[in-house]
Amino acid sequence: MTTPVAQSTAQSTAKTIVQIKSAPPQHWVGNGFKVHGMFNYNDNAALFSPFLLMDYGAPTQFAPNMGQPNGVGSHPHRGFETVTIAYTGEVTHRDSAGGGGTIAAGDVQWMTAGAGIVHNEFHSPAFSQQGGLMHMVQLWVNLPAKDKMTPAHYQAISKAQIAQVDSDAGSVRLIAGDLDGHKGAAETYTPMRLWDVRVKAGQTMSLSQPDGWTTLLLVQSGTVQVNGSNTVGAAQLVVLSRKGSDVSISASSDAQVLLLAGEPINEPVVGYGPFVMNTKAEIQQAFFDFDSGKFGEI
Ligand code: MN
């Protein structure tokens, strides 16, 4: 028998690949957003926590539309946050708290639904009339129980407010979470990172994430290997282990990757439609409050 040799530090702290998930067929959200449901808390809430859901709007061409812009009409949310990232195309929104605006290419809207909000989401009038490519992500981020009933508000984060960290290997835009002394743009309720990562062909980028955190990578274009995995391509999601910290992304062609990492929220998740709470009674209360007009109107 031979004595096992201790692994090098670099190897022993690498996160391992839990799953490489291909995009399911697209479905329409309203008549404006054709998305792949990459993951959903109904499938495995613990695996993805603190993230609840990801709709990936892979690049989709829209013809010019001189009529009413396409999108999703008024609907409520309670108990979590919606994060909308526009890569190309524009989304115009209005809400019951008096907010509204346009999420243009490069911008992010971080909306805390909290105790409740009603909003709508449409192609911007300009985008709708010109037509073009819509490429976006909408993420649902859970709130800890103590913050689920916080008053609704949102952070309108413009492209210019998002710090970009450049290196020889590529670049990282910090939507949330700090990197190398640069501050992430969004304020979050629990510790997390949301980074828009570009890796150049032939380069490897190392982006360590805390041991114990959920870590997910959505490949949007190009092909990569993650910690020596098989090749991962467009519209695939890599789920990494909580254990370990090293994450290295090697690109065989220019790649765009959305990195999500966060401290899990170890609380029960009970959701129905647009509400995500901790108990069934809280869901019933959400329907009651919405039906009795407590969420307000646009
Ligand atoms: Mn919504």
Side-chain angles (χ1 to χ4, degrees):
M1 274 181 71
T2 55
T3 307
V5 176
Q7 300 235 307
S8 74
T9 305
Q11 281 179 325
S12 63
T13 62
K15 287 184 182 285
T16 58
I17 308 294
V18 172
Q19 200 182 347
I20 297 174
K21 225 181 150 181
S22 293
Q26 291 160 305
H27 67 271
W28 285 97
V29 177
N31 63 1
F33 305 102
K34 197 179 180 186
V35 303
H36 299 282
M38 299 303 297
F39 64 85
N40 187 309
Y41 65 91
N42 286 314
D43 302 330
N44 191 338
L47 181 65
F48 301 108
S49 178
F51 308 105
L52 292 168
L53 174 155
M54 178 194 277
D55 276 346
Y56 176 42
T60 303
Q61 186 69 33
F62 284 90
N65 169 17
M66 296 304 158
Q68 183 69 25
N70 292 349
V72 195
S74 297
H75 59 278
H77 293 291
R78 172 181 277 182
F80 61 98
E81 303 180 291
T82 64
V83 179
T84 305
I85 306 169
Y87 296 95
T88 62
E90 292 183 347
V91 178
T92 293
H93 61 95
R94 292 180 66 79
D95 67 57
S96 54
T102 295
I103 310 160
D107 298 348
V108 174
Q109 186 214 34
W110 198 292
M111 186 183 84
T112 305
I117 197 164
V118 175
H119 76 158
N120 58 38
E121 303 158 276
F122 289 101
H123 294 183
S124 75
F127 176 83
S128 190
Q129 286 164 26
Q130 285 160 24
L133 213 53
M134 179 70 76
H135 180 198
M136 48 84 71
V137 165
Q138 188 169 85
L139 195 64
W140 290 13
V141 177
N142 206 3
L143 288 168
K146 68 178 178 58
D147 295 315
K148 279 186 178 289
M149 294 299 280
T150 199
H153 60 279
Y154 73 92
Q155 303 170 66
I157 302 168
S158 69
K159 185 180 180 182
Q161 290 172 294
I162 300 173
Q164 179 170 320
V165 183
D166 294 312
S167 69
D168 290 343
S171 63
V172 183
R173 295 173 71 232
L174 308 178
I175 298 167
D178 302 351
L179 174 64
D180 294 343
H182 300 268
K183 205 170 151 32
E187 299 287 341
T188 65
Y189 281 82
T190 59
M192 73 185 71
R193 294 169 179 172
L194 187 57
W195 294 347
D196 175 13
V197 178
R198 317 293 165 116
V199 188
K200 295 176 190 165
Q203 298 285 335
T204 295
M205 192 180 284
S206 292
L207 296 169
S208 286
Q209 303 305 322
D211 183 271
W213 279 26
T214 298
T215 305
L216 309 168
L217 300 172
L218 171 71
V219 178
Q220 293 161 289
S221 62
T223 47
V224 301
Q225 288 180 295
V226 181
N227 289 355
S229 70
N230 292 335
T231 299
V232 188
Q236 289 191 301
L237 182 82
V238 181
V239 181
L240 290 153
S241 63
R242 296 246 165 92
K243 194 171 160 49
S245 55
D246 294 348
V247 178
S248 71
I249 306 169
S250 300
S252 39
S253 60
D254 285 351
Q256 179 177 356
V257 177
L258 182 64
L259 181 149
L260 297 75
E263 186 179 272
I265 298 171
N266 294 314
E267 295 173 347
V269 175
V270 180
Y272 193 92
F275 309 131
V276 183
M277 304 299 290
N278 302 108
T279 67
K280 206 172 166 184
E282 289 168 341
I283 293 295
Q284 287 164 344
Q285 187 67 45
F287 277 99
F288 181 81
D289 290 347
F290 175 62
D291 288 343
S292 51
K294 284 194 183 159
F295 285 45
E297 55 187 38
I298 296 170

